[in-house]
Amino acid sequence: MRAVVMERYGSPDVLRAGQWPDPREAPGWVVVELRASALNWHDVLVRQGRYGSPLPHVIGADGAGVRSDTGQEVMVIPSLWWGVDQRVPSRAWQILGDAEPGTYASHVRVPVDCVAPKPPGWSWEEAAALPLVGLTVYRALVSRAGLVAGESLLVIGAGGGVATMAVAMAGAIGATVAVTSSSQAKIDRACTIGALGGVRSDDSDWPLAARTFSPDGSGFDVVVDAVGAWAEALLTLRPGGRLVVLGASRQEHVEVGVRDLYFSHHSILGTTMGSASDMAGLMGLVEVGRLAPPVIDRVFELEDAAAAHEYLERAEHFGKVVLTHG
């Protein structure tokens, strides 16, 4: 089958169009003929060798297409073998494209419980872009942080797929949301999808400025951080607020004042992609029409995955970068 094959770790140019063995049907598994797949920062980390994926390999976590056995239009759920404990994943848990061949291909094989119906009226690109960021953000905001209607949310690093999904999902829940970004254009675009406003994160006093968008200027109920800006993020929280952390694209180590943390009664919550229960909650928002399709920034051909990765790493995008499979 057609695929983008990675024979070594490295820069985007290690992703090359080629051929890969067709996935074999097996009990408990389903093959999906893919129409589109979506990029995630996780794909970049896999490409760089951060997860020790096998070589050669096909990466990619997100996708949408047609079940080979039933003809049903489906989305691929990239959270494999979560387990029965809703609090944490099992030791067997992995993200599709880590060890199992992923979605940068014409077909992919996943466990039968790792597909969900494609939302009616959504394009293939929109459907492919939902699962990883949708599941990740739902778990972060709802299952972990417990964000509810009437509360306030700050999203750090507006522009990427997680950030744009967080803005949209906060609105679907009934919370108010503000954003940060080093780009005024991205802040302005975030306002078009539901943000009240935002602040420039390249200004040294941005945490203080961000608080002006919170109720009474007292700080936000929840902050979602996908970049690793804990020290600044904690300054934007109200007493008793929750910082939910789901990425470290900017930095992997931070220094936090212990006394400040416990006197403020803040919570720091780590999270990853979610479980089947989280997916059911996400689909509930989609099915009642409260959650709009993901914002699509740019679409590349499958064979142009290397160029798509180069574009993703430049951080110029607003929303999701997607591959179409023709």
Side-chain angles (χ1 to χ4, degrees):
M1 67 176 179
R2 287 190 308 137
V4 173
V5 180
M6 179 179 74
E7 296 187 344
R8 57 187 174 86
Y9 307 133
S11 59
D13 63 6
V14 304
L15 301 175
R16 298 184 177 181
Q19 293 292 312
W20 190 261
D22 292 339
R24 296 180 180 178
E25 296 187 6
W29 293 74
V30 62
V31 174
V32 178
E33 183 180 349
L34 293 162
R35 299 289 189 265
S37 55
L39 274 64
N40 294 281
W41 189 252
H42 179 81
D43 301 350
V44 174
L45 300 179
V46 175
R47 193 200 74 217
Q48 293 172 344
R50 301 287 189 94
Y51 294 97
S53 299
L55 293 174
H57 190 47
V58 174
I59 68 172
D62 270 336
V66 178
R67 282 184 62 153
S68 297
D69 56 348
T70 66
Q72 182 186 19
E73 296 183 346
V74 296
M75 300 180 296
V76 173
I77 304 171
S79 186
L80 310 184
W81 304 302
W82 179 275
V84 298
D85 190 340
Q86 293 302 309
R87 297 171 299 175
V88 291
S90 71
R91 291 186 177 182
W93 179 74
Q94 62 178 267
I95 297 173
L96 180 63
D98 284 358
E100 293 292 329
T103 56
Y104 290 16
S106 61
H107 295 75
V108 69
R109 188 182 73 163
V110 295
V112 69
D113 59 352
C114 287
V115 293
K118 173 179 173 286
W122 286 29
S123 69
W124 286 117
E125 292 77 16
E126 290 168 339
L130 176 69
L132 191 145
V133 295
L135 190 51
T136 300
V137 171
Y138 184 90
R139 183 167 182 83
L141 295 187
V142 180
S143 303
R144 296 292 283 144
L147 184 71
V148 296
E151 288 194 310
S152 58
L153 170 72
L154 177 66
V155 178
I156 295 179
V162 165
T164 52
M165 177 57 64
V167 172
M169 195 172 297
I173 292 169
T176 59
V177 58
V179 301
T180 77
S181 176
S182 59
S183 164
Q184 186 61 47
K186 290 184 178 180
I187 293 172
D188 293 342
R189 290 196 65 183
C191 291
T192 68
I193 62 170
L196 294 176
V199 296
R200 292 285 296 268
S201 57
D202 48 1
D203 292 338
S204 60
D205 62 347
W206 72 260
L208 181 62
R211 290 174 70 101
T212 64
F213 289 99
S214 67
D216 302 322
S218 60
F220 294 89
D221 295 294
V222 176
V223 177
V224 60
D225 178 11
V227 303
W230 293 20
E232 298 90 344
L234 288 167
L235 297 175
T236 70
L237 282 173
R238 65 161 177 80
R242 295 94 76 193
L243 170 61
V244 59
V245 181
L246 47 80
S249 60
R250 183 184 304 167
Q251 58 186 4
E252 296 187 6
H253 302 279
V254 296
E255 185 173 304
V256 173
V258 176
R259 289 183 182 275
D260 291 338
L261 179 66
Y262 65 71
F263 274 117
S264 65
H265 293 258
H266 288 156
S267 299
I268 300 177
L269 304 165
T271 188
T272 60
M273 207 188 319
S275 65
S277 177
D278 297 315
M279 189 67 191
L282 171 65
M283 293 305 294
L285 290 177
V286 172
E287 288 164 5
V288 298
R290 291 169 59 188
L291 184 65
V295 176
I296 306 298
D297 177 271
R298 189 168 172 183
V299 178
F300 291 79
E301 296 293 331
L302 174 63
E303 289 76 11
D304 295 328
H309 271 237
E310 290 175 357
Y311 179 65
L312 184 74
E313 292 189 62
R314 291 202 299 271
E316 298 172 355
H317 59 291
F318 184 85
K320 295 289 290 182
V321 180
V322 179
L323 305 175
T324 182
H325 294 214

